[in-house]
Amino acid sequence: MAPGPTRCTAAGRGLALKPRAAAHAVICMREAARPTPDPRPVRSPSPIQTSQQQAEAMNCEHNPTTATVTTPITADLVRGALELEQTAHGVLPHRLPARARAQSTDGQLAMAEAQPSGVRLVFRTRATTVELDALPTKRVYAGAPPRPDGVYDLVVDGRLAGQASVAGGNTMTIDMTAGTAETRPGTPGTARWSGLPGAEKDVEIWLPHNESAELLALRTDAPVEPVPGTGRRVWLHHGSSISQGSNAANPTATWPALAAALGGVELVNLGLGGSALLDPFTARALRDTPADLISVKIGINLVNADLMRLRALTSSVHGFLDTVREGHPTTPLLVVSPIHCPIHEDVPGPSAPDPASFATGQLRFRATGDPAEAASGKLTLKVVREELARIVEQRAAQDENLHHLDGPDLYGEADFAELPLPDGLHPDAATHRRIGERFAGLAFSANGPFADRSS
């Protein structure tokens, strides 16, 4: 029997997919038609900035290794995960604890929380070569174009210095028509970077935001050691696939990662594709995770899953916030409403793939609800925004550290005209950058709810 999970202090077999509604039976297809990302390093804001010379000096080819120092992957090297599960092969980072995972039979949630968005290995070393052996699980969607491999970002002293992917791995074939998934076992692969400067440096390996990976071995050509605490504040964020990073080009380019870099904070990203559903076990995970700043982005999954009515939304939001406050009674807590999404502004869910898009090779979604049903309590994005604003205003009278951010201030109607959502639901790489920059400007500014008032 494999050992039990390890709590992180830093921040084929068949699987039945039990759809909550049409939208959630298909929501994990959101990246099936995502174009292959540009292999060149993506410039990110300080402190994660691209160094073109470093990137060009490195490679991820499988050359004969000089990396002979093997370091166990333990919790003191991992940030951004809530738990490490010991597996038959290595360790699997989780973004929800075992107790929460045991309370859900939802295959979509299980897949999303094991995709390590925001999770990174962090260590100090003089190594010039770094290798990470991993066993990824890659998704294949029946009838959809192949997906590109997940990207691993190498960050050296705060600069994005190289990228790699891991070949091979398990393959999960998802049949959305039948609502099933079959996993075929595969072989591990290696992400490799060489040509690093030989001076002592802090290295981060950001794991793919959209592909789960069991971590087998970390090898270098010099010893590594954990990086002492930076003293930076920890930002704990929860949201949907948009927060997880759907359609972002690479893991340091999701909007929360970009905002965290600009805000100078340590990110713990609990963005869960298709699964920001006000689940009590998610609220308890937020409650029990140490954090200096907390944000919850609520709405799009409630609408596109057609999960609940207005009556249930009100009590569910209150209950979710009550639970978070049990563990964080005075922590700055920011409630963020949905960004602009034309298909669901006035039309309830569920959402579903648009069959007309299949022939184009670009998956698109459409709303299938009836606008007239909003009058009887069905949720639209406009309804959700109004209710969230009302709830926060009501609670803030007794909670001075509770704040509200309107989603269209991050991405609104004018932004959609300039940078439309390619599939009708999810932002592309350029829009992730815009949202991240806007969030940082609104939340981390001197007058924002996350302003650093320690000095």
Side-chain angles (χ1 to χ4, degrees):
M1 179 179 297
T6 300
R7 296 287 293 183
C8 287
T9 56
R13 62 180 183 273
L15 170 66
L17 298 179
K18 300 172 65 175
R20 297 181 286 269
H24 282 71
V26 299
I27 196 69
C28 54
M29 292 180 69
R30 61 194 176 277
E31 292 175 333
R34 179 166 64 91
T36 301
D38 189 331
R40 296 170 295 177
V42 178
R43 174 165 288 278
S44 302
S46 178
I48 299 178
Q49 297 176 336
T50 299
S51 170
Q52 186 66 34
Q53 290 181 340
Q54 284 185 339
E56 291 174 351
M58 296 178 197
N59 65 77
C60 55
E61 297 174 0
H62 296 274
N63 299 323
T65 184
T66 59
T68 58
V69 179
T70 300
T71 302
I73 298 173
T74 53
D76 58 353
L77 297 180
V78 179
R79 295 183 187 173
L82 298 195
E83 196 170 88
L84 295 181
E85 178 189 356
Q86 298 290 329
T87 70
H89 305 285
V91 295
L92 177 66
H94 286 284
R95 295 186 298 126
L96 284 178
R99 181 171 178 240
R101 304 195 303 271
Q103 293 180 352
S104 173
T105 59
D106 183 355
Q108 169 65 25
L109 174 63
M111 181 168 60
E113 71 83 27
Q115 293 167 347
S117 182
V119 179
R120 60 267 187 206
L121 302 183
V122 182
F123 51 91
R124 184 165 292 165
T125 186
R126 293 181 179 273
T128 62
T129 299
V130 175
E131 297 180 346
L132 178 65
D133 290 348
L135 179 63
T137 296
K138 303 180 179 184
R139 290 167 288 156
V140 176
Y141 294 91
R147 300 182 66 257
D149 289 341
V151 176
Y152 295 70
D153 281 351
L154 184 77
V155 175
V156 176
D157 288 336
R159 293 178 178 271
L160 179 60
Q163 297 176 321
S165 294
V166 173
N170 303 326
T171 301
M172 176 186 288
T173 301
I174 300 172
D175 186 329
M176 302 312 303
T177 302
T180 61
E182 293 290 332
T183 300
R184 288 193 311 175
T187 57
T190 302
R192 185 177 190 271
W193 300 270
S194 62
L196 293 163
E200 185 175 80
K201 55 198 165 292
D202 290 347
V203 176
E204 304 173 29
I205 302 175
W206 286 64
L207 305 179
H209 60 285
N210 54 6
E211 178 179 281
S212 64
E214 295 180 58
L215 309 179
L216 280 59
L218 173 65
R219 289 191 306 277
T220 53
D221 60 356
V224 308
E225 61 182 31
V227 176
T230 62
R232 295 195 296 181
R233 297 177 297 165
V234 175
W235 170 34
L236 176 62
H237 175 71
H238 170 57
S240 68
S241 60
I242 297 171
S243 295
Q244 182 175 335
S246 178
N247 291 338
N250 52 297
T252 58
T254 68
W255 81 256
L258 292 166
L262 288 168
V265 297
E266 292 282 349
L267 173 65
V268 178
N269 187 359
L270 301 190
L272 302 169
S275 303
L277 299 172
L278 298 175
D279 287 312
F281 53 76
T282 302
R284 289 190 288 271
L286 294 168
R287 177 195 66 189
D288 298 338
T289 300
D292 302 295
L293 310 163
I294 302 173
S295 55
V296 290
K297 196 167 181 303
I298 301 169
I300 183 61
N301 289 159
L302 304 177
V303 174
N304 68 12
D306 191 26
L307 186 73
M308 60 178 63
R309 302 296 178 261
L310 179 59
R311 165 65 177 81
L313 171 68
T314 302
S315 59
S316 296
V317 171
H318 277 297
F320 198 91
L321 297 178
D322 284 346
T323 299
V324 174
R325 277 294 187 227
E326 289 173 4
H328 303 277
T330 60
T331 301
L333 174 55
L334 180 60
V335 176
V336 187
S337 66
I339 64 172
H340 182 71
C341 180
I343 67 172
H344 279 307
E345 289 296 319
D346 299 293
V347 181
S351 52
D354 183 354
S357 70
F358 294 165
T360 68
Q362 171 63 61
L363 178 68
R364 292 190 58 82
F365 292 91
R366 61 188 178 91
T368 63
D370 181 354
E373 292 182 304
S376 60
K378 269 203 168 189
L379 298 181
T380 66
L381 294 184
K382 288 182 178 178
V383 169
V384 170
R385 290 193 198 104
E386 291 175 1
E387 187 62 4
L388 289 177
R390 187 194 69 79
I391 290 172
V392 172
E393 181 180 18
Q394 174 191 341
R395 295 177 65 105
Q398 286 80 41
D399 185 349
E400 65 180 2
N401 292 308
L402 180 66
H403 308 275
H404 175 260
L405 175 57
D406 196 34
D409 288 342
L410 300 175
Y411 176 86
E413 190 171 357
D415 299 299
F416 179 82
E418 179 186 354
L419 296 169
L421 306 174
D423 64 2
L425 281 177
H426 303 99
D428 61 10
T431 306
H432 270 279
R433 177 170 298 281
R434 178 166 297 185
I435 294 172
E437 291 173 347
R438 291 232 179 114
F439 184 93
L442 293 167
F444 292 107
S445 64
N447 296 319
F450 289 172
D452 188 353
R453 298 179 173 88
S454 60
S455 57

